[in-house]
Amino acid sequence: MRYLAFKNADHITGLGVKDTQGGYRGLLQHQPGYPGNLDTLVTLGADALEHAGHRLLKTGAPIDLAAIRYLPPLRRPSKIICVGLNYRAHTAEIGFEPQSYPAIFARFPSSLIGHQQPILRPRESMQLDYEGELVAVIGRGGRRIARAQALDHVVGYALFNDASLRDYQFKSPQWTMGKNFDATGAFGPELVSADELPPGCHGLRIQTRLNGQVMQSASTADMIVDIATLIETLSEVFTLQPGDLIVSGTPAGVGAGRTPPLWMQPGDVCEVEVEGLGILQNPIAQEGV
């Protein structure tokens, strides 16, 4: 199933699910039968999430996509775990050596925005770069999860634009500051249940377009560390919890790797697409304008 978190024109949050005709049906949080938001449902498990989807299909009203504001599918994840340098060609283009162990950094929920919401270029930097990525959403928590069982812990997948302020990213050996400006973590447009996609989303085309021009294009099969191995590696150190996001890395073609560098500008439109997951589209705007 494909789940959509949104606000209506009155700023009331709701949850929708895609129907067999390609439209969406949903309920608002104050309406009878509203099953809860995705943050809550994911913690209850895949069965509860699927049951909520069927309830929305049966009792929900049609959703006019032109009249809503998309929200990040989950807004309060306990952890947003990002993976750097996870495609060999991207590692090479920014001057790093291939890593034998994944480079891990964190994002914070305060950076998240939804589909069609503006990615903000902050006042402090002009070096706003795009990074199209696949997100795995944990549905069943655990510690020291074996690779063979790792994908059983994934409830679904979504898209992410890990928009980065490169000068801030490289002010120190730690990347956190350049990865956490407000309104730079585009996430969505849907949460797609894992059963609708190949195991681990392996072998899917991932592409990023800026103003319609292809900037990044690769296969998720090119990941150095796949989703199952990432779950095994991360859970060796800390407990993964339902709702945690694993943002799995970006392929080659980022603006920082070009000569001259290509930075996103106010008025641009950036799209991230992965086969079977739709398109995450966001305009670029200047903060404070």
Side-chain angles (χ1 to χ4, degrees):
M1 288 187 171
R2 294 167 180 266
Y3 302 87
L4 171 70
F6 66 94
K7 280 187 178 180
N8 70 2
D10 297 320
H11 306 288
I12 301 171
T13 60
L15 180 65
V17 66
K18 197 167 189 177
D19 62 29
T20 56
Q21 286 74 47
Y24 292 83
R25 303 187 70 84
L27 291 169
L28 300 172
Q29 64 177 0
H30 66 281
Q31 293 178 318
Y34 175 70
N37 60 35
L38 288 173
D39 292 271
T40 299
L41 290 170
V42 165
T43 66
L44 298 176
D47 289 344
L49 183 63
E50 183 177 9
H51 179 74
H54 287 300
R55 186 192 309 175
L56 291 170
L57 287 174
K58 184 175 180 180
T59 64
I63 299 172
D64 178 3
L65 297 182
I68 65 167
R69 175 182 176 180
Y70 289 82
L71 298 174
L74 288 89
R75 288 177 285 161
R76 298 184 302 277
S78 170
K79 293 185 281 298
I80 306 172
I81 309 153
C82 299
V83 186
L85 310 177
N86 202 24
Y87 288 76
R88 286 181 177 83
H90 171 57
T91 302
E93 74 176 343
I94 59 172
F96 284 83
E97 294 294 324
Q99 304 293 302
S100 60
Y101 192 83
I104 303 300
F105 60 94
R107 260 195 184 265
F108 307 132
S110 56
S111 71
L112 295 179
I113 57 171
H115 174 60
Q116 296 183 351
Q117 301 309 302
I119 293 172
L120 296 183
R121 187 178 71 178
R123 302 169 189 169
E124 292 79 5
S125 175
M126 305 286 284
Q127 296 185 13
L128 178 62
D129 206 350
Y130 50 82
E131 289 193 5
E133 309 202 21
L134 169 73
V135 180
V137 180
I138 297 298
R140 179 157 60 92
R143 176 89 192 276
R144 298 187 178 95
I145 300 166
R147 186 183 186 282
Q149 286 78 50
L151 295 182
D152 296 337
H153 290 255
V154 177
V155 72
Y157 297 89
L159 302 176
F160 206 90
N161 192 338
D162 184 33
S164 306
L165 281 304
R166 296 300 187 192
D167 47 354
Y168 274 77
Q169 180 180 350
F170 296 115
K171 279 180 180 288
S172 79
Q174 303 298 322
W175 298 351
T176 299
M177 294 299 280
K179 297 285 189 172
N180 277 287
F181 276 82
D182 286 355
T184 58
F187 173 34
E190 304 167 319
L191 173 65
V192 181
S193 59
D195 58 0
E196 293 215 2
L197 297 158
C201 283
H202 184 79
L204 300 180
R205 176 60 54 183
I206 179 170
Q207 192 173 91
T208 303
R209 297 181 292 271
L210 187 62
N211 302 324
Q213 181 178 352
V214 175
M215 298 286 115
Q216 297 178 284
S217 187
S219 169
T220 57
D222 296 339
M223 286 184 189
I224 297 171
V225 185
D226 64 19
I227 298 296
T229 306
L230 284 172
I231 291 170
E232 179 183 53
T233 302
L234 295 169
S235 68
E236 181 180 46
V237 176
F238 48 77
T239 300
L240 291 174
Q241 298 171 304
D244 285 352
L245 309 183
I246 300 176
V247 186
S248 60
T250 199
V254 298
R258 297 173 181 269
T259 306
L262 175 65
W263 309 125
M264 294 192 291
Q265 305 292 326
D268 288 348
V269 175
C270 193
E271 296 178 322
V272 178
E273 182 175 12
V274 173
E275 289 179 78
L277 283 160
I279 298 173
L280 172 66
Q281 182 189 80
N282 298 91
I284 312 304
Q286 180 66 41
E287 182 184 25
V289 174

